[in-house]
Amino acid sequence: MLLAVRAGLGALIVGGFLLALWAQVSGMRDYRYRWQVVPAYLVLAALAALGRGVTVVYPWWRIIRAWGYHLGWGRAVRLYFHSGLARYLPGQWWFVLGRAYLADKEGVPVTVTAASTAMETVLLTGSALAVALIGMATIRQLAGYGAYLALAGVTTIATLLFSPLLVARFVNWLFARMGRAGIATALSRRDTMAVLLGCFANWLIYGLIALLLRAGLGGEEYVSEAAGVVGLFSASVLGGSLGLLVPQGLVIREGVLVYLFSTLLGVPLPLGVAVAALTRLFAMVAEGVWAAISLRF
């Protein structure tokens, strides 16, 4: 029954997204004489979406392992993607409850899951900001601010190296206020670097999907703007996260991406809409595939 509910929820979400995309078909049809489809890039985008599944799970799994909980990789993948289906519910944060429930069955206490998710969120958000700033520094229209953007990005990375200590202190203080024993500990420098490597890999691959789709629909010349595209995509993810009541920032993230593509890179509106929509769709399908595959783990 649970599998049926999950499958039904996923079908509704994908269906709704496809309906929203269908509303743009007329405008895209008028643009058809400008499409420069390169199938090889579309295939690479699909492969990148599937490969990103590893980097999605790795940061949280590495934090859990660093805290002494020997959660197997296969089980981590399963509970991560199954609980992640709740991200598509209004509020975005319901997945934490699902992750805590499933992790508890694997011997990871609820408080540990909550603390590790908080640390994961800080590192993921900070790394997305760093990628956005450094990527945007390469865009010609922002050339006057390039040095400042790059400096801000590097500063963000340096700050992230010390953030686990601050997060651990805050979480333990919060638990103390709730009458619970503190459990979060700062990560070692080695573990912090490993977690951040996974976070940056996640955003770079996610942005790469958008880049490959843009090249696959608009022509190979767009590959030269790789850093800018990846940076703007990370910026759009941050923008989408502000819509707390919108599942996964659906439509908000796409709107931000289309706007940034249009104003900063001169991407035609139909092409920007197609890239934004397909990037979301490829990621959603890949998550569904990982959730299905992990049933065997």
Side-chain angles (χ1 to χ4, degrees):
M1 183 179 295
L2 287 175
L3 290 176
V5 171
R6 290 167 181 164
L9 178 61
L12 286 175
I13 293 168
V14 173
F17 189 67
L18 289 175
L19 287 176
L21 179 60
W22 180 257
Q24 304 294 327
V25 166
S26 60
M28 294 182 181
R29 187 182 298 117
D30 295 336
Y31 184 74
R32 65 181 181 276
Y33 65 94
R34 296 182 183 179
W35 295 117
Q36 301 178 46
V37 178
V38 184
Y41 283 116
L42 300 181
V43 173
L44 288 175
L47 293 176
L50 288 173
R52 175 176 165 264
V54 176
T55 63
V56 169
V57 180
Y58 180 79
W60 176 74
W61 177 75
R62 183 64 186 248
I63 294 172
I64 289 294
R65 299 277 293 190
W67 285 354
Y69 294 90
H70 300 290
L71 179 65
W73 172 252
R75 303 301 292 181
V77 169
R78 179 170 181 171
L79 72 87
Y80 195 100
F81 282 105
H82 286 198
S83 63
L85 294 174
R87 293 177 185 271
Y88 294 100
L89 296 175
Q92 295 198 42
W93 294 99
W94 294 109
F95 79 93
V96 179
L97 296 179
R99 183 186 295 183
Y101 173 76
L102 295 175
D104 188 57
K105 292 180 175 296
E106 302 294 333
V108 180
V110 171
T111 51
V112 172
T113 300
S116 60
T117 300
M119 189 167 292
E120 174 204 24
T121 301
V122 169
L123 294 176
L124 276 174
T125 303
S127 57
L129 177 61
V131 170
L133 291 169
I134 294 174
M136 292 170 67
T138 67
I139 298 176
R140 278 178 291 181
Q141 283 195 239
L142 297 176
Y145 306 95
Y148 300 106
L149 289 169
L151 178 60
V154 172
T155 302
T156 300
I157 295 174
T159 303
L160 286 173
L161 293 174
F162 299 97
S163 61
L165 175 60
L166 299 177
V167 174
R169 288 179 176 176
F170 173 76
V171 169
N172 286 334
W173 172 83
L174 187 62
F175 281 158
R177 299 281 293 181
M178 297 169 61
R180 292 178 174 270
I183 48 86
T185 58
L187 299 176
S188 68
R189 186 60 55 85
R190 179 179 178 180
D191 287 325
T192 300
M193 292 289 288
V195 172
L196 282 176
L197 182 62
C199 291
F200 282 113
N202 173 59
W203 297 124
L204 292 175
I205 295 175
Y206 210 175
L208 177 64
I209 298 169
L211 173 68
L212 290 170
L213 287 171
R214 184 181 177 187
L217 297 174
E220 298 182 4
E221 65 271 16
Y222 292 117
V223 176
S224 62
E225 300 175 344
V229 171
V230 172
L232 291 182
F233 182 80
S234 294
S236 73
V237 173
L238 292 173
S241 66
L242 297 178
L244 296 179
L245 297 180
V246 181
Q248 280 283 71
L250 197 64
V251 180
I252 296 178
R253 189 185 82 186
E254 285 70 33
V256 172
L257 183 60
V258 171
Y259 175 78
L260 293 176
F261 270 7
S262 176
T263 56
L264 296 179
L265 294 179
V267 178
L269 185 60
L271 179 57
V273 170
V275 170
L278 289 178
T279 301
R280 169 78 74 173
L281 188 60
F282 275 40
M284 290 169 65
V285 171
E287 290 173 7
V289 170
W290 274 101
I293 292 175
S294 64
L295 288 172
R296 296 182 174 276
F297 295 163

